[in-house]
Amino acid sequence: MHTNRIFNFNPGPAALPLSVLEEIQSSFLDFAGTGMSITEISHRSKWFDEIVNDAIDRTRRLLKLSNDYHVLFLQGGASLQFGMIPMNFLPDGRSADYINTGTWSAKAIKEVEILKKSVRVIASSEDKNFSYIPEDIQVSPGSVYVHLTSNNTIKGTQWSEFPETSGVPLIADMSSDFMSRPFDPKAFGVIYAGAQKNIGPAGVCMVILRDDLLKRVPDDLPSMLKYTTFASTNSMYNTPPQRKLSTPAIPLFS
Ligand SMILES: Cc1ncc(COP(=O)(O)O)c(C=O)c1O
């Protein structure tokens, strides 16, 4: 069975190493000798706390994250982040800057427009079918954040150096190149990435968020749409997808 594995390079979710699949297989029947499947253990148990804390610790270590960053695990994929970011960080009457480098940037911009919030596209490569990364990025006066997509999954371009935003928080969708190369997390206010490309199966989105940004989160959002809800509960406000959350911990963090 193991010798005829197919490496599919064209899915939404990426291939996982065989050793990871084997670990998933065994934890599915008996998680760490508990006699319970990973899908059966309580998310309020010490075992699950360990899984989440281990994933956070290893992320911190790998990215050399300072203590002023939170590591959160949310559901809803990177696509939910397209809406949560303006809901949490873009107050009415203010404006955010977006850089449009392809399909996923455009989707992020669309969600701001749906929310009827003010978005300025300060740079775009749409004129040449998104075949390049724009240069000389100028942040608009008064912008509350700058959003970009680090790797343009469909159009095939990737930022090699990130723009300087003069203190305005830089927010990056890193879904398709997260953890694939070294980068300086300090340059970012928020980094988010759907797990399925680089760190595990679909169903979890990792959000790395600088602490000062939490003060900007408005009170009048539903709990499940506020970053403060997940930061104050170690991402366990409601029942998380245990097996999916345990799996990023295995390939990326072991
Ligand atoms: C760069 C980028 N952003 C966002 C998404 C959407 O992610 P999700 O399916 O987790 O919502 C993808 C999916 O391919 C992507 O490549």
Side-chain angles (χ1 to χ4, degrees):
M1 173 204 159
H2 297 163
T3 49
N4 54 15
R5 270 182 51 72
I6 306 283
F7 292 95
N8 180 5
F9 289 104
N10 192 35
L16 289 166
L18 181 60
S19 58
V20 170
L21 295 176
E22 283 169 346
E23 202 158 333
I24 294 171
Q25 187 183 41
S26 102
S27 71
F28 198 77
L29 290 179
D30 182 1
F31 174 68
T34 57
M36 289 174 277
S37 165
I38 182 72
T39 64
E40 295 170 325
I41 63 165
S42 167
H43 63 295
R44 306 285 175 212
S45 64
K46 73 174 171 52
W47 300 296
F48 198 67
D49 275 347
E50 275 166 23
I51 290 172
V52 173
N53 290 334
D54 192 41
I56 293 171
D57 288 351
R58 288 168 189 252
T59 304
R60 287 191 175 290
R61 227 164 39 232
L62 272 171
L63 296 181
K64 300 190 176 59
L65 281 182
S66 51
N67 287 339
D68 54 340
Y69 283 89
H70 300 266
V71 178
L72 309 178
F73 300 100
L74 276 65
Q75 297 187 60
S79 300
L80 181 60
Q81 298 307 304
F82 296 161
M84 272 180 76
I85 283 162
M87 282 180 184
N88 281 261
F89 304 129
L90 177 48
D92 291 339
R94 303 292 301 274
S95 186
D97 287 350
Y98 277 68
I99 302 173
N100 186 6
T101 49
T103 313
W104 298 103
S105 312
K107 288 197 174 185
I109 293 166
K110 187 174 152 217
E111 296 301 298
V112 191
E113 291 167 348
I114 289 172
L115 289 165
K116 301 204 179 344
K117 290 179 181 272
S118 171
V119 52
R120 284 201 198 107
V121 179
I122 54 165
S124 169
S125 49
E126 193 170 9
D127 59 336
K128 293 194 176 146
N129 192 24
F130 300 112
S131 57
Y132 66 99
I133 294 288
E135 290 177 2
D136 300 325
I137 306 299
Q138 301 294 327
V139 178
S140 314
S143 173
V144 289
Y145 63 78
V146 179
H147 180 282
L148 59 77
T149 313
S150 60
N151 183 62
N152 298 293
T153 319
I154 294 172
K155 299 298 179 181
T157 59
Q158 184 183 43
W159 289 83
S160 53
E161 274 178 42
F162 295 105
E164 160 56 43
T165 56
S166 315
V168 178
L170 182 59
I171 299 186
D173 173 4
M174 291 200 182
S175 291
S176 59
D177 63 356
F178 186 56
M179 299 282 192
S180 69
R181 57 176 173 162
F183 69 95
D184 180 8
K186 280 199 224 55
F188 298 90
V190 183
I191 296 159
Y192 62 95
Q196 65 273 16
K197 297 275 186 286
N198 290 338
I199 56 173
V204 176
C205 181
M206 188 183 272
V207 178
I208 295 172
L209 181 102
R210 212 176 53 218
D211 187 61
D212 60 288
L213 287 171
L214 289 178
K215 296 190 186 71
R216 300 189 184 191
V217 175
D219 289 333
D220 60 351
L221 283 179
S223 303
M224 285 295 287
L225 296 176
K226 282 199 246 203
Y227 291 111
T228 41
T229 302
F230 296 93
S232 63
T233 57
N234 206 21
S235 299
M236 281 182 278
Y237 171 70
N238 71 330
T239 319
Q242 307 105 299
R243 192 193 61 69
K244 287 174 182 150
L245 228 169
S246 73
T247 313
I250 303 170
L252 176 62
F253 308 130
S254 51

PDB file of all heavy atoms in Angstrom, residues 198-232:
ATOM      1  N   ASN A 198       0.389  23.973   3.790  1.00  0.00           N
ATOM      2  CA  ASN A 198       1.744  23.713   4.291  1.00  0.00           C
ATOM      3  C   ASN A 198       1.837  23.064   5.658  1.00  0.00           C
ATOM      4  O   ASN A 198       2.910  22.592   6.030  1.00  0.00           O
ATOM      5  CB  ASN A 198       2.541  25.027   4.353  1.00  0.00           C
ATOM      6  CG  ASN A 198       2.871  25.548   2.980  1.00  0.00           C
ATOM      7  OD1 ASN A 198       2.888  24.792   2.016  1.00  0.00           O
ATOM      8  ND2 ASN A 198       3.083  26.833   2.866  1.00  0.00           N
ATOM      9  N   ILE A 199       0.780  23.116   6.454  1.00  0.00           N
ATOM     10  CA  ILE A 199       0.975  22.620   7.820  1.00  0.00           C
ATOM     11  C   ILE A 199      -0.004  21.546   8.261  1.00  0.00           C
ATOM     12  O   ILE A 199       0.056  21.107   9.411  1.00  0.00           O
ATOM     13  CB  ILE A 199       1.006  23.769   8.856  1.00  0.00           C
ATOM     14  CG1 ILE A 199      -0.254  24.634   8.773  1.00  0.00           C
ATOM     15  CG2 ILE A 199       2.244  24.622   8.689  1.00  0.00           C
ATOM     16  CD1 ILE A 199      -0.348  25.669   9.884  1.00  0.00           C
ATOM     17  N   GLY A 200      -0.891  21.100   7.426  1.00  0.00           N
ATOM     18  CA  GLY A 200      -1.803  20.041   7.864  1.00  0.00           C
ATOM     19  C   GLY A 200      -3.027  19.966   6.972  1.00  0.00           C
ATOM     20  O   GLY A 200      -3.042  20.548   5.896  1.00  0.00           O
ATOM     21  N   PRO A 201      -4.055  19.272   7.411  1.00  0.00           N
ATOM     22  CA  PRO A 201      -5.258  19.172   6.588  1.00  0.00           C
ATOM     23  C   PRO A 201      -6.139  20.427   6.710  1.00  0.00           C
ATOM     24  O   PRO A 201      -5.987  21.211   7.639  1.00  0.00           O
ATOM     25  CB  PRO A 201      -5.980  17.947   7.158  1.00  0.00           C
ATOM     26  CG  PRO A 201      -5.433  17.740   8.509  1.00  0.00           C
ATOM     27  CD  PRO A 201      -4.118  18.452   8.614  1.00  0.00           C
ATOM     28  N   ALA A 202      -7.090  20.566   5.799  1.00  0.00           N
ATOM     29  CA  ALA A 202      -8.011  21.705   5.828  1.00  0.00           C
ATOM     30  C   ALA A 202      -8.868  21.657   7.080  1.00  0.00           C
ATOM     31  O   ALA A 202      -9.104  20.590   7.650  1.00  0.00           O
ATOM     32  CB  ALA A 202      -8.892  21.664   4.587  1.00  0.00           C
ATOM     33  N   GLY A 203      -9.306  22.815   7.529  1.00  0.00           N
ATOM     34  CA  GLY A 203     -10.203  22.875   8.676  1.00  0.00           C
ATOM     35  C   GLY A 203      -9.684  23.772   9.785  1.00  0.00           C
ATOM     36  O   GLY A 203     -10.411  24.092  10.711  1.00  0.00           O
ATOM     37  N   VAL A 204      -8.419  24.181   9.684  1.00  0.00           N
ATOM     38  CA  VAL A 204      -7.840  25.074  10.684  1.00  0.00           C
ATOM     39  C   VAL A 204      -7.114  26.197   9.949  1.00  0.00           C
ATOM     40  O   VAL A 204      -6.448  25.958   8.949  1.00  0.00           O
ATOM     41  CB  VAL A 204      -6.816  24.331  11.577  1.00  0.00           C
ATOM     42  CG1 VAL A 204      -6.156  25.293  12.545  1.00  0.00           C
ATOM     43  CG2 VAL A 204      -7.490  23.212  12.344  1.00  0.00           C
ATOM     44  N   CYS A 205      -7.271  27.399  10.457  1.00  0.00           N
ATOM     45  CA  CYS A 205      -6.505  28.522   9.916  1.00  0.00           C
ATOM     46  C   CYS A 205      -5.653  29.076  11.048  1.00  0.00           C
ATOM     47  O   CYS A 205      -6.164  29.350  12.131  1.00  0.00           O
ATOM     48  CB  CYS A 205      -7.469  29.597   9.411  1.00  0.00           C
ATOM     49  SG  CYS A 205      -6.629  31.023   8.707  1.00  0.00           S
ATOM     50  N   MET A 206      -4.354  29.176  10.824  1.00  0.00           N
ATOM     51  CA  MET A 206      -3.494  29.735  11.860  1.00  0.00           C
ATOM     52  C   MET A 206      -3.460  31.255  11.705  1.00  0.00           C
ATOM     53  O   MET A 206      -3.314  31.765  10.598  1.00  0.00           O
ATOM     54  CB  MET A 206      -2.074  29.164  11.759  1.00  0.00           C
ATOM     55  CG  MET A 206      -1.222  29.579  12.947  1.00  0.00           C
ATOM     56  SD  MET A 206       0.471  29.004  12.822  1.00  0.00           S
ATOM     57  CE  MET A 206       0.346  27.401  13.555  1.00  0.00           C
ATOM     58  N   VAL A 207      -3.636  31.951  12.831  1.00  0.00           N
ATOM     59  CA  VAL A 207      -3.570  33.416  12.820  1.00  0.00           C
ATOM     60  C   VAL A 207      -2.531  33.836  13.847  1.00  0.00           C
ATOM     61  O   VAL A 207      -2.619  33.451  15.016  1.00  0.00           O
ATOM     62  CB  VAL A 207      -4.940  34.046  13.180  1.00  0.00           C
ATOM     63  CG1 VAL A 207      -4.832  35.571  13.205  1.00  0.00           C
ATOM     64  CG2 VAL A 207      -6.016  33.603  12.198  1.00  0.00           C
ATOM     65  N   ILE A 208      -1.551  34.593  13.399  1.00  0.00           N
ATOM     66  CA  ILE A 208      -0.520  35.114  14.305  1.00  0.00           C
ATOM     67  C   ILE A 208      -0.750  36.617  14.390  1.00  0.00           C
ATOM     68  O   ILE A 208      -0.764  37.305  13.361  1.00  0.00           O
ATOM     69  CB  ILE A 208       0.876  34.776  13.761  1.00  0.00           C
ATOM     70  CG1 ILE A 208       1.043  33.253  13.767  1.00  0.00           C
ATOM     71  CG2 ILE A 208       1.966  35.434  14.606  1.00  0.00           C
ATOM     72  CD1 ILE A 208       2.284  32.764  13.075  1.00  0.00           C
ATOM     73  N   LEU A 209      -0.953  37.078  15.607  1.00  0.00           N
ATOM     74  CA  LEU A 209      -1.491  38.424  15.758  1.00  0.00           C
ATOM     75  C   LEU A 209      -0.738  39.182  16.844  1.00  0.00           C
ATOM     76  O   LEU A 209      -0.528  38.639  17.926  1.00  0.00           O
ATOM     77  CB  LEU A 209      -2.945  38.208  16.188  1.00  0.00           C
ATOM     78  CG  LEU A 209      -3.846  39.352  16.431  1.00  0.00           C
ATOM     79  CD1 LEU A 209      -4.745  39.503  15.221  1.00  0.00           C
ATOM     80  CD2 LEU A 209      -4.732  39.029  17.618  1.00  0.00           C
ATOM     81  N   ARG A 210      -0.340  40.409  16.542  1.00  0.00           N
ATOM     82  CA  ARG A 210       0.382  41.201  17.554  1.00  0.00           C
ATOM     83  C   ARG A 210      -0.591  41.740  18.603  1.00  0.00           C
ATOM     84  O   ARG A 210      -1.682  42.208  18.266  1.00  0.00           O
ATOM     85  CB  ARG A 210       1.144  42.339  16.868  1.00  0.00           C
ATOM     86  CG  ARG A 210       2.425  42.707  17.581  1.00  0.00           C
ATOM     87  CD  ARG A 210       3.189  43.755  16.847  1.00  0.00           C
ATOM     88  NE  ARG A 210       2.310  44.888  16.585  1.00  0.00           N
ATOM     89  CZ  ARG A 210       2.347  45.597  15.455  1.00  0.00           C
ATOM     90  NH1 ARG A 210       3.192  45.326  14.510  1.00  0.00           N
ATOM     91  NH2 ARG A 210       1.517  46.615  15.286  1.00  0.00           N
ATOM     92  N   ASP A 211      -0.151  41.678  19.844  1.00  0.00           N
ATOM     93  CA  ASP A 211      -1.047  41.958  20.972  1.00  0.00           C
ATOM     94  C   ASP A 211      -1.721  43.326  20.884  1.00  0.00           C
ATOM     95  O   ASP A 211      -2.908  43.452  21.170  1.00  0.00           O
ATOM     96  CB  ASP A 211      -0.242  41.843  22.269  1.00  0.00           C
ATOM     97  CG  ASP A 211      -1.120  41.944  23.481  1.00  0.00           C
ATOM     98  OD1 ASP A 211      -2.003  41.084  23.627  1.00  0.00           O
ATOM     99  OD2 ASP A 211      -0.960  42.903  24.253  1.00  0.00           O
ATOM    100  N   ASP A 212      -0.997  44.357  20.473  1.00  0.00           N
ATOM    101  CA  ASP A 212      -1.594  45.706  20.504  1.00  0.00           C
ATOM    102  C   ASP A 212      -2.811  45.803  19.585  1.00  0.00           C
ATOM    103  O   ASP A 212      -3.709  46.603  19.803  1.00  0.00           O
ATOM    104  CB  ASP A 212      -0.551  46.773  20.134  1.00  0.00           C
ATOM    105  CG  ASP A 212       0.011  46.559  18.740  1.00  0.00           C
ATOM    106  OD1 ASP A 212       0.783  45.598  18.541  1.00  0.00           O
ATOM    107  OD2 ASP A 212      -0.335  47.334  17.842  1.00  0.00           O
ATOM    108  N   LEU A 213      -2.877  44.954  18.574  1.00  0.00           N
ATOM    109  CA  LEU A 213      -4.013  45.018  17.652  1.00  0.00           C
ATOM    110  C   LEU A 213      -5.311  44.556  18.310  1.00  0.00           C
ATOM    111  O   LEU A 213      -6.403  44.940  17.886  1.00  0.00           O
ATOM    112  CB  LEU A 213      -3.725  44.190  16.396  1.00  0.00           C
ATOM    113  CG  LEU A 213      -2.713  44.850  15.468  1.00  0.00           C
ATOM    114  CD1 LEU A 213      -2.301  43.904  14.369  1.00  0.00           C
ATOM    115  CD2 LEU A 213      -3.300  46.111  14.863  1.00  0.00           C
ATOM    116  N   LEU A 214      -5.181  43.753  19.354  1.00  0.00           N
ATOM    117  CA  LEU A 214      -6.406  43.280  20.023  1.00  0.00           C
ATOM    118  C   LEU A 214      -7.197  44.438  20.634  1.00  0.00           C
ATOM    119  O   LEU A 214      -8.409  44.362  20.769  1.00  0.00           O
ATOM    120  CB  LEU A 214      -6.049  42.272  21.125  1.00  0.00           C
ATOM    121  CG  LEU A 214      -5.560  40.904  20.646  1.00  0.00           C
ATOM    122  CD1 LEU A 214      -5.192  40.035  21.836  1.00  0.00           C
ATOM    123  CD2 LEU A 214      -6.634  40.202  19.808  1.00  0.00           C
ATOM    124  N   LYS A 215      -6.483  45.507  20.968  1.00  0.00           N
ATOM    125  CA  LYS A 215      -7.177  46.670  21.566  1.00  0.00           C
ATOM    126  C   LYS A 215      -8.091  47.344  20.543  1.00  0.00           C
ATOM    127  O   LYS A 215      -8.973  48.116  20.893  1.00  0.00           O
ATOM    128  CB  LYS A 215      -6.149  47.667  22.083  1.00  0.00           C
ATOM    129  CG  LYS A 215      -5.306  47.098  23.212  1.00  0.00           C
ATOM    130  CD  LYS A 215      -4.456  48.160  23.880  1.00  0.00           C
ATOM    131  CE  LYS A 215      -3.519  47.561  24.905  1.00  0.00           C
ATOM    132  NZ  LYS A 215      -2.420  46.767  24.331  1.00  0.00           N
ATOM    133  N   ARG A 216      -7.869  47.063  19.292  1.00  0.00           N
ATOM    134  CA  ARG A 216      -8.703  47.697  18.256  1.00  0.00           C
ATOM    135  C   ARG A 216     -10.006  46.942  17.999  1.00  0.00           C
ATOM    136  O   ARG A 216     -10.861  47.413  17.258  1.00  0.00           O
ATOM    137  CB  ARG A 216      -7.932  47.745  16.931  1.00  0.00           C
ATOM    138  CG  ARG A 216      -6.646  48.518  17.003  1.00  0.00           C
ATOM    139  CD  ARG A 216      -6.098  48.681  15.605  1.00  0.00           C
ATOM    140  NE  ARG A 216      -4.803  49.333  15.620  1.00  0.00           N
ATOM    141  CZ  ARG A 216      -4.197  49.793  14.538  1.00  0.00           C
ATOM    142  NH1 ARG A 216      -4.770  49.657  13.353  1.00  0.00           N
ATOM    143  NH2 ARG A 216      -3.028  50.377  14.614  1.00  0.00           N
ATOM    144  N   VAL A 217     -10.123  45.752  18.561  1.00  0.00           N
ATOM    145  CA  VAL A 217     -11.298  44.907  18.246  1.00  0.00           C
ATOM    146  C   VAL A 217     -12.549  45.515  18.883  1.00  0.00           C
ATOM    147  O   VAL A 217     -12.583  45.741  20.093  1.00  0.00           O
ATOM    148  CB  VAL A 217     -11.067  43.466  18.777  1.00  0.00           C
ATOM    149  CG1 VAL A 217     -12.304  42.614  18.578  1.00  0.00           C
ATOM    150  CG2 VAL A 217      -9.848  42.840  18.101  1.00  0.00           C
ATOM    151  N   PRO A 218     -13.587  45.808  18.084  1.00  0.00           N
ATOM    152  CA  PRO A 218     -14.784  46.422  18.672  1.00  0.00           C
ATOM    153  C   PRO A 218     -15.582  45.425  19.510  1.00  0.00           C
ATOM    154  O   PRO A 218     -15.537  44.218  19.265  1.00  0.00           O
ATOM    155  CB  PRO A 218     -15.593  46.859  17.438  1.00  0.00           C
ATOM    156  CG  PRO A 218     -15.087  46.050  16.310  1.00  0.00           C
ATOM    157  CD  PRO A 218     -13.690  45.605  16.636  1.00  0.00           C
ATOM    158  N   ASP A 219     -16.319  45.956  20.496  1.00  0.00           N
ATOM    159  CA  ASP A 219     -17.116  45.075  21.363  1.00  0.00           C
ATOM    160  C   ASP A 219     -18.328  44.501  20.643  1.00  0.00           C
ATOM    161  O   ASP A 219     -18.807  43.424  20.990  1.00  0.00           O
ATOM    162  CB  ASP A 219     -17.644  45.870  22.580  1.00  0.00           C
ATOM    163  CG  ASP A 219     -16.519  46.210  23.528  1.00  0.00           C
ATOM    164  OD1 ASP A 219     -15.524  45.456  23.546  1.00  0.00           O
ATOM    165  OD2 ASP A 219     -16.626  47.248  24.219  1.00  0.00           O
ATOM    166  N   ASP A 220     -18.830  45.227  19.673  1.00  0.00           N
ATOM    167  CA  ASP A 220     -20.141  44.861  19.129  1.00  0.00           C
ATOM    168  C   ASP A 220     -20.073  43.889  17.942  1.00  0.00           C
ATOM    169  O   ASP A 220     -20.846  43.985  16.999  1.00  0.00           O
ATOM    170  CB  ASP A 220     -20.912  46.132  18.742  1.00  0.00           C
ATOM    171  CG  ASP A 220     -20.167  46.941  17.699  1.00  0.00           C
ATOM    172  OD1 ASP A 220     -18.989  46.613  17.391  1.00  0.00           O
ATOM    173  OD2 ASP A 220     -20.750  47.908  17.166  1.00  0.00           O
ATOM    174  N   LEU A 221     -19.128  42.950  18.019  1.00  0.00           N
ATOM    175  CA  LEU A 221     -19.084  41.894  17.000  1.00  0.00           C
ATOM    176  C   LEU A 221     -19.550  40.593  17.638  1.00  0.00           C
ATOM    177  O   LEU A 221     -19.317  40.386  18.836  1.00  0.00           O
ATOM    178  CB  LEU A 221     -17.643  41.677  16.512  1.00  0.00           C
ATOM    179  CG  LEU A 221     -17.041  42.664  15.531  1.00  0.00           C
ATOM    180  CD1 LEU A 221     -15.599  42.247  15.213  1.00  0.00           C
ATOM    181  CD2 LEU A 221     -17.863  42.725  14.249  1.00  0.00           C
ATOM    182  N   PRO A 222     -20.148  39.684  16.882  1.00  0.00           N
ATOM    183  CA  PRO A 222     -20.449  38.364  17.453  1.00  0.00           C
ATOM    184  C   PRO A 222     -19.163  37.714  17.961  1.00  0.00           C
ATOM    185  O   PRO A 222     -18.086  37.890  17.376  1.00  0.00           O
ATOM    186  CB  PRO A 222     -21.013  37.586  16.249  1.00  0.00           C
ATOM    187  CG  PRO A 222     -21.477  38.626  15.296  1.00  0.00           C
ATOM    188  CD  PRO A 222     -20.587  39.824  15.487  1.00  0.00           C
ATOM    189  N   SER A 223     -19.284  36.965  19.064  1.00  0.00           N
ATOM    190  CA  SER A 223     -18.084  36.408  19.714  1.00  0.00           C
ATOM    191  C   SER A 223     -17.203  35.616  18.750  1.00  0.00           C
ATOM    192  O   SER A 223     -15.976  35.707  18.788  1.00  0.00           O
ATOM    193  CB  SER A 223     -18.496  35.479  20.856  1.00  0.00           C
ATOM    194  OG  SER A 223     -19.300  36.177  21.752  1.00  0.00           O
ATOM    195  N   MET A 224     -17.828  34.821  17.888  1.00  0.00           N
ATOM    196  CA  MET A 224     -17.052  33.946  17.001  1.00  0.00           C
ATOM    197  C   MET A 224     -16.310  34.730  15.911  1.00  0.00           C
ATOM    198  O   MET A 224     -15.516  34.166  15.176  1.00  0.00           O
ATOM    199  CB  MET A 224     -17.962  32.901  16.342  1.00  0.00           C
ATOM    200  CG  MET A 224     -18.385  31.781  17.266  1.00  0.00           C
ATOM    201  SD  MET A 224     -16.993  30.759  17.808  1.00  0.00           S
ATOM    202  CE  MET A 224     -16.612  29.827  16.334  1.00  0.00           C
ATOM    203  N   LEU A 225     -16.604  36.019  15.796  1.00  0.00           N
ATOM    204  CA  LEU A 225     -15.935  36.815  14.763  1.00  0.00           C
ATOM    205  C   LEU A 225     -14.915  37.784  15.347  1.00  0.00           C
ATOM    206  O   LEU A 225     -14.372  38.623  14.646  1.00  0.00           O
ATOM    207  CB  LEU A 225     -16.985  37.583  13.940  1.00  0.00           C
ATOM    208  CG  LEU A 225     -17.950  36.701  13.156  1.00  0.00           C
ATOM    209  CD1 LEU A 225     -19.005  37.546  12.465  1.00  0.00           C
ATOM    210  CD2 LEU A 225     -17.201  35.844  12.132  1.00  0.00           C
ATOM    211  N   LYS A 226     -14.663  37.653  16.662  1.00  0.00           N
ATOM    212  CA  LYS A 226     -13.713  38.559  17.319  1.00  0.00           C
ATOM    213  C   LYS A 226     -12.410  37.834  17.629  1.00  0.00           C
ATOM    214  O   LYS A 226     -12.434  36.770  18.270  1.00  0.00           O
ATOM    215  CB  LYS A 226     -14.284  39.008  18.664  1.00  0.00           C
ATOM    216  CG  LYS A 226     -15.327  40.062  18.606  1.00  0.00           C
ATOM    217  CD  LYS A 226     -15.399  40.689  19.982  1.00  0.00           C
ATOM    218  CE  LYS A 226     -16.591  40.516  20.722  1.00  0.00           C
ATOM    219  NZ  LYS A 226     -17.039  41.304  21.736  1.00  0.00           N
ATOM    220  N   TYR A 227     -11.280  38.421  17.313  1.00  0.00           N
ATOM    221  CA  TYR A 227      -9.997  37.800  17.661  1.00  0.00           C
ATOM    222  C   TYR A 227      -9.813  37.724  19.176  1.00  0.00           C
ATOM    223  O   TYR A 227      -9.180  36.803  19.689  1.00  0.00           O
ATOM    224  CB  TYR A 227      -8.836  38.586  17.049  1.00  0.00           C
ATOM    225  CG  TYR A 227      -8.788  38.468  15.549  1.00  0.00           C
ATOM    226  CD1 TYR A 227      -9.072  39.561  14.746  1.00  0.00           C
ATOM    227  CD2 TYR A 227      -8.483  37.255  14.931  1.00  0.00           C
ATOM    228  CE1 TYR A 227      -9.044  39.456  13.357  1.00  0.00           C
ATOM    229  CE2 TYR A 227      -8.447  37.143  13.559  1.00  0.00           C
ATOM    230  CZ  TYR A 227      -8.733  38.247  12.783  1.00  0.00           C
ATOM    231  OH  TYR A 227      -8.711  38.126  11.416  1.00  0.00           O
ATOM    232  N   THR A 228     -10.366  38.695  19.902  1.00  0.00           N
ATOM    233  CA  THR A 228     -10.216  38.689  21.357  1.00  0.00           C
ATOM    234  C   THR A 228     -10.820  37.416  21.973  1.00  0.00           C
ATOM    235  O   THR A 228     -10.294  36.902  22.955  1.00  0.00           O
ATOM    236  CB  THR A 228     -10.906  39.928  21.964  1.00  0.00           C
ATOM    237  OG1 THR A 228     -12.144  40.138  21.287  1.00  0.00           O
ATOM    238  CG2 THR A 228     -10.050  41.168  21.837  1.00  0.00           C
ATOM    239  N   THR A 229     -11.885  36.913  21.381  1.00  0.00           N
ATOM    240  CA  THR A 229     -12.522  35.691  21.895  1.00  0.00           C
ATOM    241  C   THR A 229     -11.540  34.532  21.877  1.00  0.00           C
ATOM    242  O   THR A 229     -11.423  33.769  22.837  1.00  0.00           O
ATOM    243  CB  THR A 229     -13.733  35.322  21.010  1.00  0.00           C
ATOM    244  OG1 THR A 229     -14.636  36.420  21.015  1.00  0.00           O
ATOM    245  CG2 THR A 229     -14.419  34.055  21.466  1.00  0.00           C
ATOM    246  N   PHE A 230     -10.795  34.414  20.796  1.00  0.00           N
ATOM    247  CA  PHE A 230      -9.885  33.268  20.641  1.00  0.00           C
ATOM    248  C   PHE A 230      -8.581  33.505  21.402  1.00  0.00           C
ATOM    249  O   PHE A 230      -7.991  32.564  21.932  1.00  0.00           O
ATOM    250  CB  PHE A 230      -9.635  32.999  19.150  1.00  0.00           C
ATOM    251  CG  PHE A 230     -10.903  32.583  18.467  1.00  0.00           C
ATOM    252  CD1 PHE A 230     -11.719  33.517  17.836  1.00  0.00           C
ATOM    253  CD2 PHE A 230     -11.331  31.264  18.509  1.00  0.00           C
ATOM    254  CE1 PHE A 230     -12.922  33.144  17.256  1.00  0.00           C
ATOM    255  CE2 PHE A 230     -12.534  30.884  17.931  1.00  0.00           C
ATOM    256  CZ  PHE A 230     -13.329  31.830  17.298  1.00  0.00           C
ATOM    257  N   ALA A 231      -8.158  34.773  21.489  1.00  0.00           N
ATOM    258  CA  ALA A 231      -6.922  35.067  22.228  1.00  0.00           C
ATOM    259  C   ALA A 231      -7.127  34.815  23.722  1.00  0.00           C
ATOM    260  O   ALA A 231      -6.218  34.367  24.420  1.00  0.00           O
ATOM    261  CB  ALA A 231      -6.502  36.514  21.990  1.00  0.00           C
ATOM    262  N   SER A 232      -8.335  35.068  24.226  1.00  0.00           N
ATOM    263  CA  SER A 232      -8.549  34.925  25.670  1.00  0.00           C
ATOM    264  C   SER A 232      -8.899  33.494  26.073  1.00  0.00           C
ATOM    265  O   SER A 232      -8.991  33.187  27.255  1.00  0.00           O
ATOM    266  CB  SER A 232      -9.652  35.878  26.142  1.00  0.00           C
ATOM    267  OG  SER A 232     -10.865  35.522  25.514  1.00  0.00           O
TER     268      SER A 232
END
